[in-house]
PDB file of all heavy atoms in Angstrom:
ATOM      1  N   LEU S 490      29.025   6.944  15.383  1.00 98.00           N
ATOM      2  CA  LEU S 490      29.880   5.728  14.961  1.00 98.00           C
ATOM      3  C   LEU S 490      31.164   5.776  15.873  1.00 98.00           C
ATOM      4  O   LEU S 490      31.593   4.752  16.443  1.00 98.00           O
ATOM      5  CB  LEU S 490      30.157   5.853  13.537  1.00 98.00           C
ATOM      6  CG  LEU S 490      30.981   4.684  13.006  1.00 98.00           C
ATOM      7  CD1 LEU S 490      30.220   3.343  13.110  1.00 98.00           C
ATOM      8  CD2 LEU S 490      31.346   4.941  11.484  1.00 98.00           C
ATOM      9  N   LEU S 493      30.336   4.866  19.516  1.00 97.00           N
ATOM     10  CA  LEU S 493      30.240   3.422  19.746  1.00 97.00           C
ATOM     11  C   LEU S 493      31.661   2.731  19.734  1.00 97.00           C
ATOM     12  O   LEU S 493      31.918   1.847  20.566  1.00 97.00           O
ATOM     13  CB  LEU S 493      29.371   2.788  18.658  1.00 97.00           C
ATOM     14  CG  LEU S 493      27.958   3.096  18.742  1.00 97.00           C
ATOM     15  CD1 LEU S 493      27.245   2.665  17.257  1.00 97.00           C
ATOM     16  CD2 LEU S 493      27.283   2.330  19.783  1.00 97.00           C
ATOM     17  N   ALA S 530      22.528   6.342   8.846  1.00 98.00           N
ATOM     18  CA  ALA S 530      23.641   5.446   9.240  1.00 98.00           C
ATOM     19  C   ALA S 530      24.151   5.911  10.527  1.00 98.00           C
ATOM     20  O   ALA S 530      23.989   7.227  10.878  1.00 98.00           O
ATOM     21  CB  ALA S 530      24.641   5.446   8.135  1.00 98.00           C
ATOM     22  N   ALA S 531      25.012   5.201  11.168  1.00 98.00           N
ATOM     23  CA  ALA S 531      25.644   5.653  12.492  1.00 98.00           C
ATOM     24  C   ALA S 531      26.461   6.950  12.272  1.00 98.00           C
ATOM     25  O   ALA S 531      26.439   7.761  13.146  1.00 98.00           O
ATOM     26  CB  ALA S 531      26.350   4.499  13.162  1.00 98.00           C
ATOM     27  N   TRP S 570      24.024   0.555   3.206  1.00 98.00           N
ATOM     28  CA  TRP S 570      22.832   0.849   3.963  1.00 98.00           C
ATOM     29  C   TRP S 570      21.646   0.959   3.019  1.00 98.00           C
ATOM     30  O   TRP S 570      20.486   1.336   3.450  1.00 98.00           O
ATOM     31  CB  TRP S 570      23.082   2.208   4.507  1.00 98.00           C
ATOM     32  CG  TRP S 570      23.972   2.243   5.793  1.00 98.00           C
ATOM     33  CD1 TRP S 570      23.579   2.196   7.019  1.00 98.00           C
ATOM     34  CD2 TRP S 570      25.455   2.111   5.776  1.00 98.00           C
ATOM     35  NE1 TRP S 570      24.727   2.146   7.871  1.00 98.00           N
ATOM     36  CE2 TRP S 570      25.815   2.125   7.100  1.00 98.00           C
ATOM     37  CE3 TRP S 570      26.448   2.033   4.827  1.00 98.00           C
ATOM     38  CZ2 TRP S 570      27.287   1.991   7.351  1.00 98.00           C
ATOM     39  CZ3 TRP S 570      27.724   1.999   5.044  1.00 98.00           C
ATOM     40  CH2 TRP S 570      28.109   1.942   6.494  1.00 98.00           C
ATOM     41  N   ILE S 592      20.082  -1.606   9.372  1.00 98.00           N
ATOM     42  CA  ILE S 592      21.538  -1.763   9.232  1.00 98.00           C
ATOM     43  C   ILE S 592      22.100  -0.930  10.383  1.00 98.00           C
ATOM     44  O   ILE S 592      23.036  -1.320  11.046  1.00 98.00           O
ATOM     45  CB  ILE S 592      22.089  -1.122   7.885  1.00 98.00           C
ATOM     46  CG1 ILE S 592      21.321  -1.779   6.732  1.00 98.00           C
ATOM     47  CG2 ILE S 592      23.635  -1.231   7.904  1.00 98.00           C
ATOM     48  CD1 ILE S 592      21.736  -3.212   6.358  1.00 98.00           C
ATOM     49  N   LEU S 593      21.530   0.286  10.638  1.00 98.00           N
ATOM     50  CA  LEU S 593      22.008   1.124  11.723  1.00 98.00           C
ATOM     51  C   LEU S 593      21.871   0.424  13.087  1.00 98.00           C
ATOM     52  O   LEU S 593      22.711   0.477  13.967  1.00 98.00           O
ATOM     53  CB  LEU S 593      21.197   2.528  11.712  1.00 98.00           C
ATOM     54  CG  LEU S 593      21.310   3.436  12.860  1.00 98.00           C
ATOM     55  CD1 LEU S 593      22.761   3.675  13.194  1.00 98.00           C
ATOM     56  CD2 LEU S 593      20.619   4.744  12.472  1.00 98.00           C
ATOM     57  N   MET S 594      20.639  -0.227  13.263  1.00 98.00           N
ATOM     58  CA  MET S 594      20.491  -1.127  14.534  1.00 98.00           C
ATOM     59  C   MET S 594      21.703  -2.080  14.578  1.00 98.00           C
ATOM     60  O   MET S 594      22.306  -2.223  15.677  1.00 98.00           O
ATOM     61  CB  MET S 594      19.250  -1.793  14.540  1.00 98.00           C
ATOM     62  CG  MET S 594      18.037  -1.019  15.048  1.00 98.00           C
ATOM     63  SD  MET S 594      16.592  -2.154  15.102  1.00 98.00           S
ATOM     64  CE  MET S 594      16.831  -2.990  16.714  1.00 98.00           C
ATOM     65  N   TRP S 595      21.969  -2.699  13.508  1.00 98.00           N
ATOM     66  CA  TRP S 595      23.079  -3.676  13.491  1.00 98.00           C
ATOM     67  C   TRP S 595      24.435  -3.007  13.870  1.00 98.00           C
ATOM     68  O   TRP S 595      25.244  -3.557  14.694  1.00 98.00           O
ATOM     69  CB  TRP S 595      23.199  -4.323  12.122  1.00 98.00           C
ATOM     70  CG  TRP S 595      24.179  -5.450  12.050  1.00 98.00           C
ATOM     71  CD1 TRP S 595      23.871  -6.837  12.183  1.00 98.00           C
ATOM     72  CD2 TRP S 595      25.444  -5.392  11.607  1.00 98.00           C
ATOM     73  NE1 TRP S 595      25.010  -7.521  11.968  1.00 98.00           N
ATOM     74  CE2 TRP S 595      26.005  -6.735  11.640  1.00 98.00           C
ATOM     75  CE3 TRP S 595      26.420  -4.365  11.304  1.00 98.00           C
ATOM     76  CZ2 TRP S 595      27.390  -7.007  11.440  1.00 98.00           C
ATOM     77  CZ3 TRP S 595      27.748  -4.609  11.023  1.00 98.00           C
ATOM     78  CH2 TRP S 595      28.192  -6.004  10.949  1.00 98.00           C
ATOM     79  N   GLU S 596      24.747  -1.826  13.324  1.00 98.00           N
ATOM     80  CA  GLU S 596      25.956  -0.988  13.660  1.00 98.00           C
ATOM     81  C   GLU S 596      25.895  -0.790  15.139  1.00 98.00           C
ATOM     82  O   GLU S 596      26.929  -0.907  15.893  1.00 98.00           O
ATOM     83  CB  GLU S 596      25.977   0.291  13.007  1.00 98.00           C
ATOM     84  CG  GLU S 596      26.143   0.217  11.525  1.00 98.00           C
ATOM     85  CD  GLU S 596      26.212   1.732  10.938  1.00 98.00           C
ATOM     86  OE1 GLU S 596      25.096   2.328  10.780  1.00 98.00           O
ATOM     87  OE2 GLU S 596      27.290   2.262  10.795  1.00 98.00           O
ATOM     88  N   ILE S 597      24.763  -0.380  15.708  1.00 98.00           N
ATOM     89  CA  ILE S 597      24.739  -0.203  17.162  1.00 98.00           C
ATOM     90  C   ILE S 597      25.045  -1.469  17.979  1.00 98.00           C
ATOM     91  O   ILE S 597      25.878  -1.464  18.902  1.00 98.00           O
ATOM     92  CB  ILE S 597      23.403   0.494  17.437  1.00 98.00           C
ATOM     93  CG1 ILE S 597      23.255   1.895  16.984  1.00 98.00           C
ATOM     94  CG2 ILE S 597      23.178   0.512  19.060  1.00 98.00           C
ATOM     95  CD1 ILE S 597      21.926   2.509  17.141  1.00 98.00           C
ATOM     96  N   PHE S 598      24.498  -2.516  17.650  1.00 98.00           N
ATOM     97  CA  PHE S 598      24.685  -3.772  18.379  1.00 98.00           C
ATOM     98  C   PHE S 598      26.037  -4.446  18.118  1.00 98.00           C
ATOM     99  O   PHE S 598      26.362  -5.418  18.818  1.00 98.00           O
ATOM    100  CB  PHE S 598      23.526  -4.716  18.245  1.00 98.00           C
ATOM    101  CG  PHE S 598      22.365  -4.384  19.174  1.00 98.00           C
ATOM    102  CD1 PHE S 598      21.353  -3.506  18.838  1.00 98.00           C
ATOM    103  CD2 PHE S 598      22.337  -4.881  20.340  1.00 98.00           C
ATOM    104  CE1 PHE S 598      20.336  -3.086  19.622  1.00 98.00           C
ATOM    105  CE2 PHE S 598      21.325  -4.588  21.281  1.00 98.00           C
ATOM    106  CZ  PHE S 598      20.373  -3.696  20.938  1.00 98.00           C
ATOM    107  N   THR S 599      26.807  -4.008  17.106  1.00 97.00           N
ATOM    108  CA  THR S 599      28.160  -4.516  16.958  1.00 97.00           C
ATOM    109  C   THR S 599      29.060  -3.499  17.368  1.00 97.00           C
ATOM    110  O   THR S 599      30.262  -3.638  17.131  1.00 97.00           O
ATOM    111  CB  THR S 599      28.407  -4.891  15.451  1.00 97.00           C
ATOM    112  OG1 THR S 599      28.209  -3.602  14.766  1.00 97.00           O
ATOM    113  CG2 THR S 599      27.499  -5.976  14.977  1.00 97.00           C
ATOM    114  N   LEU S 600      28.608  -2.297  17.998  1.00 96.00           N
ATOM    115  CA  LEU S 600      29.533  -1.362  18.544  1.00 96.00           C
ATOM    116  C   LEU S 600      30.301  -0.688  17.390  1.00 96.00           C
ATOM    117  O   LEU S 600      31.501  -0.424  17.529  1.00 96.00           O
ATOM    118  CB  LEU S 600      30.396  -1.750  19.707  1.00 96.00           C
ATOM    119  CG  LEU S 600      29.706  -2.422  20.755  1.00 96.00           C
ATOM    120  CD1 LEU S 600      30.646  -2.791  21.871  1.00 96.00           C
ATOM    121  CD2 LEU S 600      28.699  -1.313  21.572  1.00 96.00           C
ATOM    122  N   GLY S 601      29.664  -0.592  16.304  1.00 97.00           N
ATOM    123  CA  GLY S 601      30.262   0.153  15.154  1.00 97.00           C
ATOM    124  C   GLY S 601      31.064  -0.491  14.230  1.00 97.00           C
ATOM    125  O   GLY S 601      32.001  -0.039  13.576  1.00 97.00           O
ATOM    126  N   LYS S 602      30.758  -1.823  13.976  1.00 97.00           N
ATOM    127  CA  LYS S 602      31.378  -2.642  12.887  1.00 97.00           C
ATOM    128  C   LYS S 602      30.881  -2.105  11.523  1.00 97.00           C
ATOM    129  O   LYS S 602      29.741  -1.676  11.406  1.00 97.00           O
ATOM    130  CB  LYS S 602      31.021  -4.057  13.136  1.00 97.00           C
ATOM    131  CG  LYS S 602      31.787  -4.767  14.080  1.00 97.00           C
ATOM    132  CD  LYS S 602      32.031  -6.234  13.639  1.00 97.00           C
ATOM    133  CE  LYS S 602      33.098  -6.927  14.516  1.00 97.00           C
ATOM    134  NZ  LYS S 602      32.396  -7.916  15.359  1.00 97.00           N
ATOM    135  N   PRO S 604      29.192  -2.904   8.217  1.00 98.00           N
ATOM    136  CA  PRO S 604      28.360  -3.998   7.672  1.00 98.00           C
ATOM    137  C   PRO S 604      28.997  -4.797   6.502  1.00 98.00           C
ATOM    138  O   PRO S 604      29.662  -4.132   5.624  1.00 98.00           O
ATOM    139  CB  PRO S 604      27.065  -3.185   7.168  1.00 98.00           C
ATOM    140  CG  PRO S 604      27.213  -1.845   7.772  1.00 98.00           C
ATOM    141  CD  PRO S 604      28.620  -1.691   8.128  1.00 98.00           C
TER     142      PRO S 604
END
Side-chain angles (χ1 to χ4, degrees):
L490 186 61
L493 290 165
W570 285 262
I592 309 283
L593 169 51
M594 277 186 79
W595 186 91
E596 291 183 275
I597 291 175
F598 275 88
T599 55
L600 303 177
K602 279 212 168 108

